[in-house]
Amino acid sequence: MKTLVLGENEIDKAAEIIKNGGLVAMPTETVYGLAANALDGKAVAKIFKAKGRPMDNPLIVHISDISQIYMLVREFPEKAKILAEKFWAGPLTIILPKSDIIPDEVSAGLDTVAVRFPSNKIAQALISKSMPLAAPSANLSGSPSPTNARHVLDDMKGRINAVIDGGECEVGVESTVITLATDIPRLLRPGGITVEQLREAIGEVVIDDAVLNPLKSGQKAASPGMKYKHYAPKAHIILLEGSDDSFIEYVNSRKANGIAALCYDEDIDRLEVPCIPIGHADDYEMQSHKLFSSLRNADEQGFLTVYAHCPKTDGMGLAVYNRIIRAAGFEVIEI
Ligand code: TXA
Ligand code: MG
């Protein structure tokens, strides 16, 4: 299949492809999504095939107007309304009991559906000109999510009908996922809206175990995506947990061909191995913005082992930590 590269002014063409049951990668403020008509099970099934995604991993449905949620869910409780009013359009996904209109392919057999209203204008225009869109991140299953059109083409060229080039994504990590289908709201994936912001808006929010820890054998994932290997480049990523000085010392003592450091900007001068800087230690927004392209960059440069400076877990740091620890397959060395 030939993959068209469309400009921002070719959204009508992209909408036509969607209406005909095809696949279009679109920019969002978080990462690029691989979109199909959310109400057409056959079109949605093509997403799984193109990504190599396990069929038991449900998709997020993207809307361009809050009122569209009423046809997608059975209940729209007060707390969900508060979150929608406060954080939509933006990087927050809300899980609610699904309506019958949702094909099984989208919900992967669950009784719930994940809904998100992206703030990216191109995504909004594409939804408005077609319909609600099911869209996972537009990468091959298991690789880092794409934050520009080139990343999408690297993974998906020949596998999808088109990509709309909307430049670089601002946030850089995927949306925050919260479920309101449980008694107490539960954070399933940290992202651009922090748990502190969610608690301020609706009170108690539990952080699911799988956000920071690997699933224990036999444990059921609240969010099926969390049980799969994720965000992993080909390079072997190892997270180093300890003081800033011990990070520098540990990495320098392992200086060799193929070794690199995923580090903070302020580490560069003291490190004796090639550096992939992701921003200042306390600039979580910049770290989120650069993380996935840095992981892809490590592969482009052919590094074999990359030691990562351990991020902190307050605010948006939690989102960065959650992605790096998965990219590292939970391999953490205390130094
Ligand atoms: O920012 C984002 O959310 C991006 C852009 C494209 O919108 N999308 C994205 O989709 O990251 P995806 O499929 O890569 O990640 C969705 C996550 C998966 O971990 C999936 O298991 C979980 O959300 N999820 C989706 N529906 C769910 C449901 N009904 N219950 C629990 N988890 C769900
Ligand atoms: Mg993904």
Side-chain angles (χ1 to χ4, degrees):
M1 168 189 315
K2 186 171 164 21
T3 302
L4 299 174
V5 180
L6 303 176
E8 298 181 12
N9 52 359
E10 293 180 289
I11 296 179
D12 286 335
K13 214 183 245 178
E16 258 334 283
I17 295 172
I18 294 282
K19 286 182 204 158
N20 289 324
L23 302 184
V24 176
M26 63 174 179
T28 82
E29 71 279 20
T30 56
V31 301
Y32 275 69
L34 181 54
N37 177 355
L39 308 181
D40 176 352
K42 267 201 196 133
V44 171
K46 293 180 192 166
I47 294 178
F48 288 86
K49 188 145 181 269
K51 278 182 61 93
R53 181 179 174 106
M55 290 298 289
D56 68 349
N57 193 2
L59 304 180
I60 297 172
V61 178
H62 296 67
I63 57 177
S64 58
D65 188 308
I66 292 187
S67 65
Q68 287 171 322
I69 198 171
Y70 288 98
M71 68 170 168
L72 304 174
V73 304
R74 287 200 304 277
E75 296 156 31
F76 189 31
E78 195 50 37
K79 283 183 181 168
K81 284 190 184 131
I82 295 171
L83 293 178
E85 285 292 329
K86 212 170 162 81
F87 300 115
W88 281 354
L92 177 69
T93 295
I94 304 175
I95 296 177
L96 290 167
K98 78 177 185 79
S99 75
D100 292 340
I101 208 178
I102 303 293
D104 281 344
E105 286 82 357
V106 170
S107 52
L110 299 177
D111 190 36
T112 52
V113 63
V115 185
R116 158 159 142 74
F117 179 174
S119 63
N120 181 286
K121 295 295 171 218
I122 297 173
Q124 288 181 359
L126 182 60
I127 300 163
S128 301
K129 289 183 179 201
S130 55
M131 58 268 300
L133 298 175
S137 50
N139 50 284
L140 286 173
S141 199
S143 344
S145 298
T147 54
N148 61 37
R150 185 177 61 81
H151 297 161
V152 174
L153 289 168
D154 285 348
D155 278 19
M156 290 298 177
K157 195 170 177 189
R159 307 171 79 92
I160 61 176
N161 300 97
V163 54
I164 308 174
D165 189 345
E168 296 283 332
C169 300
E170 298 147 45
V171 180
V173 295
E174 306 85 346
S175 61
T176 301
V177 178
I178 185 170
T179 179
L180 296 182
T182 45
D183 288 342
I184 299 170
R186 180 172 283 265
L187 179 82
L188 300 184
R189 181 175 72 183
I193 303 297
T194 65
V195 71
E196 291 87 345
Q197 287 174 291
L198 295 171
R199 285 177 177 151
E200 198 184 314
I202 57 166
E204 187 177 8
V205 175
V206 176
I207 300 180
D208 195 83
D209 235 14
V211 167
L212 290 172
N213 302 300
L215 284 175
K216 298 176 193 77
S217 72
Q219 191 180 357
K220 194 167 173 293
S223 180
M226 289 195 285
K227 71 182 179 215
Y228 296 108
K229 190 171 178 220
H230 241 115
Y231 316 124
K234 292 182 191 73
H236 180 189
I237 309 284
I238 300 169
L239 195 55
L240 300 181
E241 205 159 55
S243 71
D244 295 344
D245 285 344
S246 47
F247 175 78
I248 306 279
E249 222 171 274
Y250 187 96
V251 174
N252 284 345
S253 73
R254 275 157 184 80
K255 183 163 83 173
N257 272 343
I259 302 284
L262 188 75
C263 63
Y264 300 135
D265 293 355
E266 46 271 52
D267 299 333
I268 299 172
D269 289 345
R270 296 165 65 203
L271 281 168
E272 294 162 11
V273 303
C275 294
I276 309 170
I278 59 168
H280 287 288
D282 52 7
D283 189 351
Y284 300 143
E285 273 76 23
M286 182 57 78
Q287 292 167 27
S288 301
H289 179 71
K290 288 175 82 169
L291 179 65
F292 287 138
S293 55
S294 300
L295 292 174
R296 283 178 181 258
N297 185 295
D299 281 347
E300 279 155 21
Q301 296 195 57
F303 296 127
L304 303 175
T305 300
V306 177
Y307 292 107
H309 204 155
C310 191
K312 298 184 188 69
T313 55
D314 59 317
M316 264 196 85
L318 187 64
V320 179
Y321 186 94
N322 170 274
R323 302 319 187 273
I324 294 192
I325 199 158
R326 281 175 169 72
F330 291 96
E331 188 174 352
V332 182
I333 298 179
E334 290 191 24
I335 49 174

